[in-house]
């Protein structure tokens, strides 16, 4: 693409007056195929201060350039964030991702039949629908008018591999023409009008900041023990209607039914992760993958229902409608997000003929996230 002038910042598209979203920005005049060191320094600084960065007009961007930009945030990272799942067909992620053959760190996601794209032939993409994951789905008659957060999450394997620092999402083809009403269906009565097929983001920094002082101290001094092979472990379980964690019905797979477990690869991570530039703390947990809470005195909360209840109680206030940024995708949007500082969720229900084609890229980080005691250099 031809770019004239320096990179410039612009506010996100107009948010409703009721919005309390305090993150996100747009960048204009970015030539992603030919980024200089100074360009990247500007983008990196912008990302870690705004957490979601929308780079417009990137329709011609190659998968290689998308990968190279994503990798610059962690130059020694090599592998896709989820690696190669040993038992992929049982993973809850299996139906959603197709790998670009010539750029294996880049995945294709979306909805509809794609005859040919970047070396992939005759693929059928399926947009994740909450009825396959939620315990109490929306009725069929309301399905196209109403929707849910599918699953609030971090892009991370949470077993063996470190959580990626940054994810990039590229909109190749976007269906337009209607909006949906997102229902929480958790007794709160909360709803949110969203564009069709939006990606919803919330700030994990805000999630921490709005806690009581008592809860902040608990979060700063506690750690989460994640389940081994979490996306296989959770596969029979069902989600809460707000997409923020699972019901505890005893459906999770026992260790004996999982791929071989290396105890050294089980991850125990701080509840709070430190921003590498600002030093701010993010309450950063994957609510569906949590298994245990390790307390500062060395005791461990092992009751799964109690663990999930504590995590949900800490996270739920920050997914209320006023804190959610639902991105209204346009073809050519490249969105970078701080995967160690926001949660996000797929949203929406498509008609079969509504075609959506996106590219996703992230890489397992070269180091674990920084905890509350880490020193920002």
């Amino acid at each position: 693409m031809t770019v004239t002038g320096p990179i410039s910042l612009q506010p996100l598209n107009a948010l409703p007056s009721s919005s309390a979203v305090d993150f996100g920005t747009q960048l204009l005049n970015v030539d992603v195929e030919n980024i200089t060191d100074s360009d990247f320094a500007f983008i990196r600084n912008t990302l870690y201060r705004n957490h979601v960065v929308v780079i417009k007009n990137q329709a011609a961007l190659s998968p290689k350039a998308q990968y190279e930009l994503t990798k610059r945030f962690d130059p020694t990272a090599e592998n896709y964030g989820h690696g190669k799942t040993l038992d992929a067909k049982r993973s809850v992620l299996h139906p959603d991702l197709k790998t670009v053959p010539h750029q294996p760190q880049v995945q294709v996601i979306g909805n509809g039949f794609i005859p040919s794209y970047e070396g992939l032939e005759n693929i059928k993409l399926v947009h994740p629908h909450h009825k396959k994951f939620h315990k109490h789905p929306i009725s069929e008659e309301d399905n196209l008018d109403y929707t849910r957060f599918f699953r609030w999450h971090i892009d991370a394997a949470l077993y063996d591999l470190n959580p990626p620092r940054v994810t990039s999402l590229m909109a190749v083809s976007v269906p337009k023409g209607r909006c949906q009403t997102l229902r929480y269906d958790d007794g709160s009565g909360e709803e949110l009008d969203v564009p069709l097929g939006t990606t919803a983001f919330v700030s994990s920094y805000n999630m921490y900041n709005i806690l009581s002082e008592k809860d902040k101290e608990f979060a700063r001094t506690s750690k989460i023990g994640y389940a081994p092979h979490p996306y296989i472990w959770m596969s029979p379980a069902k989600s809460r209607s707000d997409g923020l964690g699972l019901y505890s019905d005893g459906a999770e797979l026992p260790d004996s039914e999982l791929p071989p477990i290396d105890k050294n690869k089980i991850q125990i991570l701080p509840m709070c992760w430190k921003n590498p530039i600002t030093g701010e703390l993010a309450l950063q947990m994957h609510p569906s993958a949590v298994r245990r809470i390790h307390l500062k005195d060395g005791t461990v909360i092992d009751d799964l229902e109690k663990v999930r209840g504590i995590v949900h109680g800490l996270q739920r206030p920050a997914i209320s409608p006023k804190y959610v940024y639902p991105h209204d995708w346009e073809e050519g949007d490249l969105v970078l997000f701080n995967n160690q500082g926001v949660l996000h969720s797929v949203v929406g229900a498509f008609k079969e003929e509504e075609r959506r084609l996106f590219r996703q890229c992230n890489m397992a980080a070269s180091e674990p996230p920084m905890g509350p005691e880490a020193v920002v250099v």
Side-chain angles (χ1 to χ4, degrees):
M1 64 179 292
T2 301
V3 172
T4 58
I7 298 175
S8 61
L9 282 134
Q10 181 173 299
L12 294 173
N13 293 335
L15 295 168
S17 58
S18 59
S19 176
V21 169
D22 62 355
F23 63 96
T25 191
Q26 294 187 60
L27 289 182
L28 304 177
N29 297 323
V30 182
D31 183 357
V32 177
E33 298 275 357
N34 299 287
I35 285 180
T36 65
D37 289 345
S38 61
D39 289 341
F40 177 71
F42 183 88
I43 293 169
R44 181 178 183 273
N45 184 66
T46 300
L47 179 68
Y48 281 115
R49 294 182 185 278
N50 293 274
H51 316 305
V52 174
V53 171
V54 182
I55 304 178
K56 307 296 286 185
N57 305 314
Q58 299 299 318
L61 185 70
S62 67
K64 182 175 185 289
Q66 182 180 354
Y67 156 71
E68 289 175 344
L69 173 58
T70 311
K71 182 178 172 64
R72 287 184 81 153
F73 289 92
D74 194 353
T76 61
E78 293 294 339
N79 300 312
Y80 175 59
H82 284 278
K84 295 181 179 179
T85 304
L86 289 173
D87 198 356
K89 289 186 178 179
R90 287 198 295 163
S91 167
V92 297
L93 304 177
H94 170 68
D96 305 337
L97 303 169
K98 306 289 184 186
T99 300
V100 174
H102 59 86
Q103 198 67 67
Q105 300 87 351
V106 178
Q107 311 297 314
V108 173
I109 56 177
N111 190 73
F113 177 74
I114 311 296
S116 180
Y117 182 72
E118 295 292 348
L120 294 165
E121 304 294 330
N122 299 318
I123 57 172
K124 184 177 181 181
L125 300 176
V126 180
H127 186 74
H129 193 292
H130 79 273
K131 69 181 178 183
K132 295 182 178 180
F133 189 57
H134 288 206
K135 186 173 183 179
H136 304 293
I138 290 171
S139 65
E140 284 298 323
E141 56 265 32
D142 285 346
N143 178 53
L144 294 179
D145 294 324
Y146 295 91
T147 188
R148 296 255 184 88
F149 300 120
F150 176 71
R151 178 170 56 237
W152 286 106
H153 66 285
I154 311 162
D155 287 338
L158 299 169
Y159 175 82
D160 187 21
L161 301 172
N162 293 321
R165 293 178 183 173
V166 172
T167 291
S168 61
L169 276 176
M170 170 70 195
V172 178
S173 178
V174 180
K176 286 289 185 183
R178 61 189 178 95
C179 293
Q180 294 178 305
T181 299
L182 186 146
R183 298 196 324 218
Y184 286 65
D185 286 338
D186 61 355
S188 67
E190 291 184 316
E191 294 184 341
L192 179 67
D193 290 332
V194 296
L196 178 65
T198 184
T199 304
F201 296 94
V202 292
S203 166
S204 300
Y205 301 99
N206 178 65
M207 191 173 281
Y208 172 78
N209 289 336
I210 64 176
L211 293 177
S212 68
E213 291 305 315
K214 180 180 178 181
D215 284 344
K216 285 180 180 177
E217 198 272 340
F218 176 81
R220 287 195 306 272
T221 58
S222 301
K223 295 183 179 181
I224 290 292
Y226 287 97
H229 304 290
Y231 302 100
I232 299 172
W233 169 79
M234 73 173 73
S235 58
K238 295 298 180 182
S239 174
R240 295 172 179 263
S241 296
D242 59 11
L244 194 68
L246 306 176
Y247 282 98
S248 297
D249 297 327
E252 298 78 17
L253 293 178
D255 289 355
S256 61
E257 295 183 25
L258 296 176
I261 297 170
D262 182 339
K263 291 185 178 180
N264 294 321
K265 295 180 178 180
I266 294 174
Q267 296 206 339
I268 301 173
L269 298 174
M271 282 190 178
C272 292
W273 300 1
K274 183 169 282 188
N275 186 298
I277 287 181
T278 68
E280 294 175 281
L281 294 181
L283 182 64
Q284 193 70 341
M285 303 176 285
H286 191 315
S288 295
V290 297
R291 179 61 189 86
R292 296 175 177 85
I293 296 176
H294 296 252
L295 303 177
K296 66 177 179 179
D297 64 3
T299 60
V300 178
I301 302 175
D302 196 38
D303 181 309
L304 183 55
E305 185 171 10
K306 184 175 182 180
V307 169
R308 286 172 171 161
I310 291 170
V311 169
H312 189 269
L314 293 171
Q315 292 185 315
R316 175 59 179 85
I319 70 161
S320 287
K322 66 180 180 179
Y323 295 126
V324 177
Y325 171 57
H327 183 61
D328 190 1
W329 288 99
E330 296 179 347
E331 292 180 3
D333 281 358
L334 175 66
V335 171
L336 305 174
F337 61 87
N338 173 9
N339 188 55
Q340 298 187 1
V342 299
L343 294 186
H344 67 287
S345 177
V346 169
V347 178
F350 289 101
K351 300 174 184 175
E352 188 172 347
E353 66 272 16
E354 288 177 318
R355 184 174 177 269
R356 184 181 194 259
L357 179 59
F358 278 52
R359 296 199 309 257
Q360 179 214 63
C361 181
N362 59 59
M363 280 160 287
S366 56
E367 296 177 343
M370 293 192 296
E373 304 307 318
V375 177
V376 173
V377 178

